[in-house]
Amino acid sequence: MFDEIMEKFEGSPSQQAVIRLLLERGFSVNEEGRVVSGGIEIPYTGIAREIDVDRRVVDSTTDAIRSDPDLQRIFANISAIPSLRDLAPVLDLTVMTVEVDAADASGIVAEVTGLIADHGISIRQIISEDPEFTDEPQLHIITDAELPGDLLLAIRELPFVRRIEF
């Protein structure tokens, strides 16, 4: 899906940058063509500054989204979710990031969370990045407790795990 969306903007790397930002941040495009997060409008100038493009690039990208029924359906319905990942140190939570070889394989989340559950550790949040929308998808698991060494070894030894980070 991500590749199909990006192909629609293949002639403009700047517009692709706008699309990537909208997807990464969960910003939608409303019926008026404004970029929003929920009901809060995000100024084009702020978006442009963030990705170092001209404000008019953001405007032309939202126009293109509104004129394409497939893109319009996607960007009208995308939304952001609050993440505990960056807030975890403040709340004394543990964040484990798992990188895998084939992120589109089935059972990855089930195996990792099953091992955590077997150790009686409560999971506060799981964020599984979609392999369709990012080049290097990661699985972020936020827990109430520190993860013991034997659990980390068990997760690390799973055949699909490439790397674990805290």
Side-chain angles (χ1 to χ4, degrees):
M1 174 66 82
F2 180 72
D3 290 338
E4 293 169 12
I5 293 170
M6 295 306 273
E7 278 178 22
K8 293 179 185 258
F9 298 93
E10 68 185 339
S12 175
S14 295
Q15 285 186 320
Q16 286 181 332
V18 173
I19 292 296
R20 181 171 273 112
L21 178 83
L22 296 178
L23 292 170
E24 287 174 356
R25 303 285 172 86
F27 292 159
S28 39
V29 177
N30 67 16
E31 293 176 6
E32 294 80 35
R34 307 308 298 167
V35 176
V36 295
S37 179
I40 301 169
E41 187 174 319
I42 312 298
Y44 287 178
T45 53
I47 294 167
R49 205 172 20 255
E50 174 79 13
I51 55 176
D52 197 28
V53 300
D54 189 276
R55 176 201 56 77
R56 292 172 293 193
V57 173
V58 180
D59 189 35
S60 65
T61 305
T62 59
D63 286 347
I65 289 168
R66 288 188 56 224
S67 67
D68 184 301
D70 293 331
L71 292 176
Q72 193 173 17
R73 272 195 307 277
I74 291 168
F75 286 96
N77 292 296
I78 197 167
S79 62
I81 59 165
S83 169
L84 293 175
R85 187 179 62 207
D86 295 331
L87 188 57
V90 175
L91 299 176
D92 200 27
L93 301 173
T94 297
V95 179
M96 177 178 60
T97 300
V98 180
E99 295 178 13
V100 297
D101 290 324
D104 57 350
S106 64
I108 292 171
V109 174
E111 277 202 61
V112 174
T113 58
L115 289 171
I116 294 169
D118 289 346
H119 278 75
I121 297 172
S122 177
I123 296 173
R124 292 280 299 267
Q125 188 176 50
I126 299 173
I127 302 166
S128 178
E129 296 174 345
D130 190 324
E132 289 283 328
F133 290 121
T134 184
D135 294 331
E136 298 278 335
Q138 298 176 330
L139 175 64
H140 306 280
I141 302 170
I142 296 97
T143 63
D144 282 327
E146 290 187 25
L147 305 176
D150 64 323
L151 172 58
L152 298 176
L153 287 173
I155 292 171
R156 178 66 187 109
E157 290 174 359
L158 293 171
F160 50 80
V161 172
R162 183 173 7 137
R163 187 174 109 155
I164 296 176
E165 182 179 294
F166 289 91

